[in-house]
Amino acid sequence: MYTIGEKEVQAVRKVLMRKKLFRYGVGTECERFEKRYAKFVGAKHVVQTASGTMALTAALVGLGVGPGDEVIVPACTYMATAISVLAAGAIPIIVDIDDTITIDPKAVEAAIGPRTKAVIPVHMWGLPCDMNAIMKIAKKRKLLVAEDACQSVGGAYKGKMLGAIGHAGAFSFNYYKNISAGEGGAFATNSKKAYERGSIMIDCFRFYWDGRDPDLEPFAANGARASEIAGAVLNVQFGRLPGLIKTMRAQKKRILEETADTALAPIRANSLDWECGTHVMYTLPTAAQADAFAKKINGTVASKTGRHVYTEWDPVLGHKGAHHPALDPFKLKENKDCRKKYTKKMCAKSLDILSRTVFFGTAPTLRASAVAALIKKIRKAAREVL
Ligand SMILES: Cc1ncc(COP(=O)(O)O)c(C=O)c1O
């Protein structure tokens, strides 16, 4: 979240004073947000959820992913990406990222096996994956694509909005995301069936409120309904989004342009003009240089965030796929032919790239003079380290 203020206070106040805090009904805040967001990303259906994790799970279940299936995920993402696969009853297959810090399409293709049903391209740190390559592979190899756009709300890839390029997409509105209601999420899809099945994951009695499709078979699922208060906050935050993205994209471009004559190598971008612009990243020749550079500019080494590298996903690597062994996807007989072997060294290429990559966040509230000071600091650090 980059900015929040009086407008959000007024919107929440209105909801509270109305004393109608339930999300269903005509003209509710959640309904309004879903319609606006669907139009914004260009998807037929958007369902607001309580979290990005549940949005991802709903997207996968919506697409029909379940026991017996493998789903390809990148080695660098928040653990929720892999957890959502397990929550759907399937098995995550972890593959390398490339020098774009997003999933390597070649690694995706190489990892496809007889049980592989889907891939989750994760648009990490506001950076779009190579969606043309991924969609091409998906078409050729009959894979479903569920985009994890949790960290890329408002971003696009070559003009197409992230989260609405694949068969389904998920977004997070938690505190750290581009727009926020403190917690929250949404999933998007053009498929009516995925929308209906995903909706049941979010609310088991959804059809009671919305009317029931005779073709839809209800099933048991936990709830993750969005709150009307979150809807109200998001409607205000949503209005701020295009301006925030525009400012951050411009700030990132300025920093890249004004450090282009240093020895620093920015990461390869899949779609620089359309990405969120939330993070500037450089990959250095060695991990030691990355450590030194990060220290000098108050940046972060990508391998050291403590939560975005597969080696840190203990429940996944340790095969603790559920709270009870009988529900654990790693132990289900339906998954006996799925590949489940993980080692800490399995994606050595990703570990190498991440240990040499330094990032820092752009900030829409930063004045031009502060950006100039930051650029000066980066240039000085580059001279000292490289
Ligand atoms: C890439 C990614 N996927 C999924 C999630 C899960 O979102 P949430 O925290 O809203 O459940 C996050 C949240 O940080 C994320 O960064």
Side-chain angles (χ1 to χ4, degrees):
M1 185 204 68
Y2 292 99
T3 130
I4 195 155
E6 190 55 34
K7 279 188 179 172
E8 282 84 350
V9 173
Q10 291 306 329
V12 170
R13 187 167 198 283
K14 231 162 112 185
V15 169
L16 294 177
M17 296 313 284
R18 216 186 287 142
K19 298 188 172 59
K20 278 196 71 189
L21 301 180
F22 198 46
R23 67 136 301 163
Y24 294 117
V26 179
T28 65
E29 293 284 350
C30 289
E31 190 197 58
R32 185 164 155 252
F33 178 72
E34 286 170 349
K35 284 195 174 141
R36 293 171 81 197
Y37 201 73
K39 195 166 167 212
F40 176 66
V41 296
K44 273 195 193 143
H45 311 281
V46 163
V47 179
Q48 209 186 311
T49 66
S51 73
T53 308
M54 274 309 301
L56 262 176
T57 308
L60 291 172
V61 171
L63 292 175
V65 170
D69 299 329
E70 294 173 347
V71 179
I72 297 173
V73 302
C76 175
T77 176
Y78 185 60
M79 185 168 67
T81 312
I83 295 294
S84 70
V85 175
L86 292 165
I91 301 293
I93 301 293
I94 305 168
V95 305
D96 268 318
I97 55 152
D98 61 19
D99 55 348
T100 65
I101 317 297
T102 59
I103 198 163
D104 180 353
K106 287 196 221 78
V108 171
E109 186 145 37
I112 298 170
R115 289 273 161 191
T116 314
K117 175 126 173 194
V119 56
I120 308 183
V122 182
H123 309 300
M124 273 301 279
W125 288 308
L127 310 163
C129 298
D130 184 352
M131 289 308 290
N132 280 350
I134 289 163
M135 294 311 289
K136 205 167 150 192
I137 294 165
K139 195 168 176 201
K140 189 170 89 182
R141 307 294 296 269
K142 295 191 171 45
L143 291 189
L144 292 163
V145 178
E147 287 172 79
D148 181 338
C150 287
Q151 294 200 9
S152 283
V153 170
Y157 167 82
K158 299 186 180 177
K160 294 181 195 161
M161 292 306 288
L162 300 177
I165 302 171
H167 302 94
F171 309 88
S172 169
F173 307 122
N174 81 20
Y175 176 66
Y176 294 101
K177 302 306 190 264
N178 295 348
I179 57 171
S180 176
E183 297 290 351
F187 77 91
T189 182
N190 285 323
S191 151
K192 184 165 179 268
K193 195 169 174 196
Y195 159 67
E196 290 185 334
R197 282 177 59 82
S199 295
I200 288 181
M201 284 305 286
I202 302 306
D203 182 347
C204 60
F205 245 128
R206 170 86 188 220
F207 49 80
Y208 171 81
W209 307 102
D210 262 5
R212 183 162 172 175
D213 183 332
D215 297 335
L216 180 68
E217 222 175 277
F219 51 87
N222 264 335
R225 218 165 33 221
S227 103
E228 188 61 353
I229 292 174
V233 174
L234 285 174
N235 271 316
V236 179
Q237 289 266 302
F238 178 66
R240 303 185 194 273
L241 184 61
L244 290 172
I245 297 286
K246 195 172 161 211
T247 308
M248 289 188 290
R249 268 183 199 154
Q251 195 177 106
K252 176 166 177 173
K253 278 194 176 174
R254 178 180 169 196
I255 294 167
L256 290 179
E257 275 163 25
E258 294 186 27
T259 57
D261 62 344
T262 67
L264 286 168
I267 61 160
R268 185 165 61 84
N270 283 318
S271 187
L272 188 61
D273 290 339
W274 293 92
E275 65 169 59
C276 296
T278 52
H279 294 81
V280 180
M281 296 196 172
Y282 301 100
T283 302
L284 285 89
T286 68
Q289 283 168 314
D291 285 341
F293 181 65
K295 214 165 162 190
K296 285 178 190 289
I297 65 157
N298 284 335
T300 304
V301 176
S303 62
K304 294 186 176 170
T305 66
R307 61 189 190 284
H308 294 114
V309 186
Y310 72 97
T311 49
E312 291 150 342
W313 305 344
D314 292 344
V316 181
L317 267 58
H319 283 191
K320 299 273 182 282
H323 67 93
H324 192 287
L327 290 169
D328 187 343
F330 288 116
K331 299 186 173 65
L332 293 182
K333 71 172 184 341
E334 287 80 357
N335 287 333
K336 76 174 179 353
D337 296 329
C338 295
R339 293 161 292 173
K340 308 178 196 77
K341 192 165 172 255
Y342 308 114
T343 68
K344 292 223 169 177
K345 289 185 183 155
M346 61 189 283
C347 292
K349 178 182 151 192
S350 305
L351 298 181
D352 171 53
I353 295 170
L354 294 168
S355 73
R356 293 187 292 112
T357 299
V358 175
F359 70 81
F360 60 89
T362 52
T365 49
L366 220 55
R367 287 173 181 275
S369 56
V371 178
L374 174 63
I375 291 167
K376 209 171 152 193
K377 199 171 176 182
I378 296 168
R379 294 179 64 85
K380 182 169 179 277
R383 277 194 307 275
E384 288 166 0
V385 168
L386 292 167

